[in-house]
Amino acid sequence: LYFLMRLLALLLDYASLIALAMTYGFAAASCGSILVSGLKRASHVPRATAENPRVILAASFMLGQGVLGTIWQTLAALGIFGWYSSGPILAACIAVGIAKCLAVPRDRNPPRPFQIDFATAALSALCIGAALTFAPLSVLPPGTDAMAFYMAQPKLIASTHAMTPLPGYVYFANIGLASEMHYAVFFALGGDHIGAMAGKFFIWMNGTATLALVWGIAERGKLELLARWTAVAIVLCCSAFTLLLWDGKTDLLPNGLALLAVYWLLKSPLDRREYALAGLATGLACVSKLSFLPSLGPGIAFLFLRQATSSGLELRRALPLMARSAAWFSAFAVIPFAALAIKNGIVFGEPFSPFFLIGTGKGFPLDQVWFNSENTRW
């Protein structure tokens, strides 16, 4: 009887955390779809090919989680973060998502499933097997950096309902915390146990969306079916990806936003509204992971040059078009940095941190202890 009671409690825990994570994921996808679908209605650029609905769903989810994380970060900086402030926003996103799902007309002639060869089927099975291999690791406690900061900082924010820096990590709290704020919502809604596990499950949802975006990038690169699966397999064979799926760190969230920016900029032609969404995704990625500024920047510049030259115009005539597109792109890329400045200005009195500290006149101190065992035990 004791064993059965423990098993029932375990099953209820899993059902609760999955329901919480899936509900939150649906809200994130709905938030992103508001921007993406609004773009489709407003855009006047002709579509050469139909969009892959699965990739668009992943794009909506990835964009939505970035926007929601920025909203939660601002609420925490204002000292009004909690279930009472995040709950109504999530409920509104869910209501809009349900309404959009009910409004989608049913296809009376659904497309036939595509045929795949043996090599593609085998590679697909290996990809699924690799993902299932790492799935049980999610039940383990968070390790290393996730235990020291990435999950501890949002847990403190959820407890204090404000942007309270973790002792020993005050400087580190100056960076963008939009990705970590999802954990804070899970802690606020699900408590310490269910909230922590739901947050780790949410990282798997971001990993799945990342793989969908990799597929979409390969698709826009005109790669064959087997080559698309190979691109997905390359990601699943990378420990930088698989170790982040279960550990509790949030690096996959800005990484997915960077892939989203690349995915949009690979499309041709683009109008200024699509440049706006690409700029927003780029800004969200760079604020959460500042190392993307020097690494993602050259790639974005190359894609802008590709957009300008693919129009068939001479470079001399294409440059003004590229400049206008870059200005529209930059205007929306700056929005997440403005949110970061608001957060740091209110909490630390340093709106230009981590790039420049007004109080000291110096830059962000890079030479510091990021993972201190004594602080972690505390």
Side-chain angles (χ1 to χ4, degrees), residues 212-266:
L213 289 173
V214 170
W215 178 282
I217 290 173
E219 193 174 48
R220 285 200 168 161
K222 304 281 193 295
L223 298 185
E224 297 294 336
L225 185 61
L226 181 59
R228 299 173 198 171
W229 274 112
T230 303
V232 173
I234 288 172
V235 177
L236 280 173
C237 290
C238 178
S239 60
F241 179 81
T242 55
L243 291 178
L244 291 173
L245 281 173
W246 62 270
D247 179 64
K249 290 186 68 174
T250 58
D251 295 62
L252 287 183
L253 280 65
N255 189 69
L257 287 165
L259 290 175
L260 177 58
V262 173
Y263 171 75
W264 264 320
L265 290 176
L266 280 174

Side-chain angles (χ1 to χ4, degrees), residues 40-224:
K40 286 184 178 180
R41 288 194 298 269
S43 178
H44 300 290
V45 174
R47 267 41 179 183
T49 57
E51 298 281 2
N52 187 327
R54 297 174 183 83
V55 180
I56 292 299
L57 176 61
S60 299
F61 168 80
M62 196 62 72
L63 183 65
Q65 64 85 13
V67 171
L68 285 179
T70 304
I71 294 175
W72 309 146
Q73 177 181 263
T74 305
L75 293 177
L78 295 173
I80 55 173
F81 174 79
W83 64 267
Y84 48 84
S85 57
S86 59
I89 297 176
L90 290 175
C93 292
I94 292 172
V96 172
I98 293 175
K100 289 173 67 66
C101 290
L102 295 176
V104 174
R106 294 184 178 181
D107 190 357
R108 297 182 178 180
N109 298 311
R112 297 179 180 179
F114 58 84
Q115 300 293 324
I116 60 176
D117 55 19
F118 174 77
T120 303
L123 197 56
S124 305
L126 288 175
C127 289
I128 296 173
L132 293 177
T133 301
F134 286 95
L137 297 175
S138 295
V139 301
L140 297 177
T144 60
D145 293 350
M147 177 171 56
F149 180 82
Y150 289 90
M151 295 185 73
Q153 176 65 82
K155 187 174 183 180
L156 183 60
I157 293 173
S159 300
T160 60
H161 308 290
M163 186 65 67
T164 306
L166 195 67
Y169 293 87
V170 176
Y171 276 118
F172 199 40
N174 280 249
I175 65 172
L177 297 176
S179 298
E180 288 74 24
M181 288 303 301
H182 299 299
Y183 278 122
V185 176
F186 284 121
F187 281 126
L189 298 178
D192 292 349
H193 175 60
I194 298 299
M197 293 302 298
K200 294 185 73 176
F201 185 74
F202 183 69
I203 301 298
W204 276 88
M205 298 172 67
N206 279 270
T208 304
T210 298
L211 295 179
L213 289 173
V214 170
W215 178 282
I217 290 173
E219 193 174 48
R220 285 200 168 161
K222 304 281 193 295
L223 298 185
E224 297 294 336

Side-chain angles (χ1 to χ4, degrees), residues 144-145 147-149 166-169 368-378:
T144 60
D145 293 350
M147 177 171 56
F149 180 82
L166 195 67
Y169 293 87
Q368 54 184 295
V369 177
W370 302 111
F371 180 69
N372 182 278
S373 57
E374 182 178 349
N375 187 65
T376 301
R377 282 194 297 271
W378 176 86

Side-chain angles (χ1 to χ4, degrees), residues 282-308:
T282 302
L284 290 169
C286 291
V287 163
S288 297
K289 201 69 177 175
L290 294 176
S291 58
F292 282 169
L293 286 171
S295 59
L296 182 62
I300 295 296
F302 174 80
L303 291 174
F304 265 91
L305 183 62
R306 176 182 177 273
Q307 285 287 341

